[in-house]
Amino acid sequence: MILVVATANLTSAEVAQCLKVLSDPTRLLILKLVQKKEYCVCQFVEMFEISQPAVSQHIRKLKQTELLKEVRRGQWRFYSLDPSSKHYQVVVDVLNYIDGDDEQLKELLMKETPVICN
């Protein structure tokens, strides 16, 4: 499988918009999680201990910035980082600054459950 990563020159407004979306800790951690594998909204609800509507609002903002790839399976949606996004390299560069020993990230990963919505 060949992975094509979009490399694009962005305007200052595009970079600012991307960084604005990344500035929320919950969205930043969602992106860090989906960088490695796909997740369902139900998993985020459990991991972040926030309501499904709150998770959906974060997902909506990430999708509006074209950072997430969505796959539907029945009525459920699964999300992963979209490598074809024009913002992909900016996002990956920022995510690489998050230490693997980050306490919040480790706590979230400990709360990770198998997909229960299938």
Side-chain angles (χ1 to χ4, degrees):
M1 180 167 105
I2 297 174
L3 179 64
V4 176
V5 176
T7 57
N9 291 325
L10 302 173
T11 66
S12 58
E14 290 171 322
V15 172
Q17 180 60 33
C18 181
L19 293 175
K20 183 178 178 182
V21 171
L22 295 177
S23 70
D24 180 89
T26 299
R27 288 193 293 271
L28 186 62
L29 286 168
I30 287 173
L31 287 172
K32 185 66 176 176
L33 291 167
V34 299
Q35 182 180 22
K36 301 285 185 210
K37 67 180 215 174
E38 69 179 13
Y39 285 87
C40 179
V41 169
C42 68
Q43 290 173 290
F44 290 140
V45 169
E46 295 295 320
M47 293 167 78
F48 285 92
E49 298 178 359
I50 58 177
S51 69
Q52 186 274 326
V55 170
S56 293
Q57 287 300 314
H58 287 297
I59 297 292
R60 180 184 58 81
K61 290 180 180 182
L62 292 167
K63 282 178 56 181
Q64 284 177 335
T65 314
E66 301 172 346
L67 297 175
L68 292 181
K69 184 169 50 173
E70 177 182 286
V71 175
R72 292 181 184 214
R73 294 189 191 122
Q75 67 181 12
W76 303 105
R77 295 179 175 117
F78 295 82
Y79 298 94
S80 58
L81 189 59
D82 187 353
S84 67
S85 170
K86 64 184 176 183
H87 301 104
Y88 182 78
Q89 196 57 55
V90 172
V91 172
V92 169
D93 288 347
V94 170
L95 293 177
N96 285 338
Y97 279 98
I98 299 174
D99 187 357
D101 289 329
D102 180 87
E103 286 301 318
Q104 285 182 297
L105 180 60
K106 287 183 353 185
E107 285 178 29
L108 289 171
L109 291 170
M110 286 177 49
K111 294 178 190 175
E112 183 178 339
T113 59
V115 177
I116 57 174
C117 55
N118 284 339

